[in-house]
Amino acid sequence: SSDLTFLDALRDGYVKPLVPVDAGEDETIDVEGLASVGGDFDLEEMAPRAIKLAPSHVKTVIDVMQKFNRRRVLVFCCNIEHVDKVEAEFRRLGVPAVGVHSRSVPGKRDKSVEAFRHGIAPVLVSCNMFNTGFDVPEIDGLGLCRAWKSAVGYAQGLGRGARATLVAENCMV
């Protein structure tokens, strides 16, 4: 039925609960004055603001992973430079993250997704690649290292962590 809501799907067991984690005011990306592109924020314009917060964002994601035993975290970034910085920060802190984007070396995307899918890499970092149609039900954490203006885009991102599975009872956001 077209009347099915997220709450209906949750009640009926089609999706798993999304559990918000307040990262704090100092981790919020300032979106004041950002231009819009196609109904969402201009991610190239947002990227420098998000990159400045990358060390703090990564530390928060790692803290949540450790505190709540999260094993598959999908991280959303603004652009290629942001993905590379966030991936490097995870690795610097000892977390085997994999970052993929449109300029990844040939074969890296498929290898990275498989490593993530099988738990070899607990963190997958990307920009504009896995917002829709990406099905890894084991995702139990989402790192939102970018802001959304588009409610539909935001809902699609959240949907990556809402897939029902016996492996994860909820998804931290």
Side-chain angles (χ1 to χ4, degrees):
S1 154
S2 62
D3 299 352
L4 185 71
T5 67
F6 184 84
L7 291 177
D8 295 328
L10 182 61
R11 179 197 64 223
D12 297 341
Y14 294 112
V15 296
K16 63 183 179 267
L18 299 171
V19 180
V21 176
D22 184 8
E25 278 300 309
D26 58 333
E27 294 196 14
T28 303
I29 297 168
D30 177 15
V31 296
E32 187 70 35
L34 286 178
S36 294
V37 175
D40 204 349
F41 290 117
D42 182 331
L43 294 178
E44 289 300 323
E45 195 178 322
M46 184 190 299
R49 300 174 188 196
I51 288 169
K52 284 181 190 169
L53 295 172
S56 177
H57 285 168
V58 169
K59 183 181 180 320
T60 297
V61 171
I62 292 171
D63 289 348
V64 168
M65 288 176 72
Q66 292 171 344
K67 183 175 180 182
F68 297 102
N69 195 28
R70 301 289 119 166
R71 299 177 188 276
R72 299 274 194 319
V73 178
L74 179 61
V75 177
F76 294 96
C77 290
C78 296
N79 67 4
I80 290 169
E81 181 185 4
H82 191 204
V83 169
D84 291 343
K85 298 273 191 212
V86 168
E87 177 188 19
E89 187 64 15
F90 272 110
R91 290 179 170 273
R92 188 183 74 76
L93 295 174
V95 175
V98 288
V100 294
H101 47 66
S102 61
R103 288 200 209 126
S104 294
V105 296
K108 182 179 183 192
R109 178 183 172 170
D110 292 341
K111 285 180 185 172
S112 296
V113 168
E114 284 309 302
F116 179 67
R117 192 178 300 279
H118 297 339
I120 297 161
V123 177
L124 179 62
V125 183
S126 74
C127 62
N128 292 330
M129 293 189 88
F130 302 118
N131 298 356
T132 61
F134 183 63
D135 188 16
V136 179
E138 297 81 8
I139 291 173
D140 58 7
L142 296 174
L144 309 182
C145 296
R146 56 152 295 185
W148 275 269
K149 188 173 189 179
S150 163
V152 170
Y154 182 60
Q156 289 172 333
L158 292 176
R160 299 313 97 215
R163 305 286 175 123
T165 175
L166 296 175
V167 180
E169 66 183 42
N170 61 41
C171 180
M172 309 290 290
V173 180

